[in-house]
């Protein structure tokens, strides 16, 4: 059974930083692409970032490029999202997800999800 558990969300002021973490259990961690998505109230789930199983390849959504960094530690079954220069529009529930296809960006192509962690950026 695959289990993803996010942590690190919270309330931060505009311009601040947060680091999200996701620990995975079940399966061979380094075989899978890991991603972060977010969902704000009334909006669709949005792709934020993804990282290949080896950690060599990364990709970001246009709205976070240059501000967010995804990384992983395969020895610890962990994936991280460092978020800098946060803006009020970054406010959302952030989800960790696992998928088999690195070229996928759609939420429907990721098979396992965490429960989410709330990030709120105050203006």
């Amino acid at each position: 059974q695959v289990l993803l558990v996010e942590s690190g969300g919270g309330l931060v002021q505009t311009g601040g930083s947060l680091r999200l973490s996701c620990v995975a259990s079940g399966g061979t961690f380094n075989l899978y692409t890991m991603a972060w998505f977010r969902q704000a109230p009334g909006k669709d789930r949005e792709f934020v970032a993804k990282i290949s199983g080896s950690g060599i390849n990364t990709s970001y959504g246009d709205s976070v490029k240059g501000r967010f960094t995804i990384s992983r530690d395969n020895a610890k079954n962990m994936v991280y999202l460092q978020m800098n220069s946060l803006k009020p529009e970054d406010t959302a529930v952030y989800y960790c997800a696992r998928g088999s296809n690195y070229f996928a960006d759609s939420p429907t192509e990721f098979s396992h999800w965490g429960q989410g962690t709330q990030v709120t950026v105050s203006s």
Side-chain angles (χ1 to χ4, degrees):
Q1 181 181 359
V2 177
L3 185 64
L4 304 176
V5 179
E6 303 96 335
S7 61
L11 174 65
V12 64
Q13 290 185 334
T14 296
S17 298
L18 280 175
R19 187 194 195 205
L20 305 184
S21 300
C22 172
V23 59
S25 59
T28 303
F29 184 69
N30 62 8
L31 293 181
Y32 296 97
T33 291
M34 298 299 296
W36 290 94
F37 288 80
R38 67 186 183 186
Q39 190 165 20
K43 295 188 176 181
D44 291 337
R45 196 162 292 192
E46 175 190 14
F47 167 72
V48 174
K50 61 184 174 181
I51 186 167
S52 61
S54 65
I56 292 175
N57 298 301
T58 59
S59 178
Y60 297 90
D62 289 342
S63 61
V64 307
K65 282 181 182 176
R67 299 188 297 123
F68 291 11
T69 303
I70 190 171
S71 61
R72 67 190 294 161
D73 184 338
N74 286 343
K76 296 181 179 179
N77 286 10
M78 297 286 296
V79 61
Y80 306 98
L81 185 69
Q82 178 66 44
M83 307 185 294
N84 298 329
S85 303
L86 283 161
K87 306 175 182 179
E89 50 264 45
D90 294 318
T91 296
V93 177
Y94 283 70
Y95 297 91
C96 173
R98 191 188 90 169
S100 298
N101 179 7
Y102 174 74
F103 299 101
D105 288 341
S106 168
T108 60
E109 297 179 276
F110 286 79
S111 55
H112 295 86
W113 294 83
Q115 82 289 349
T117 186
Q118 176 71 46
V119 172
T120 303
V121 184
S122 64
S123 57

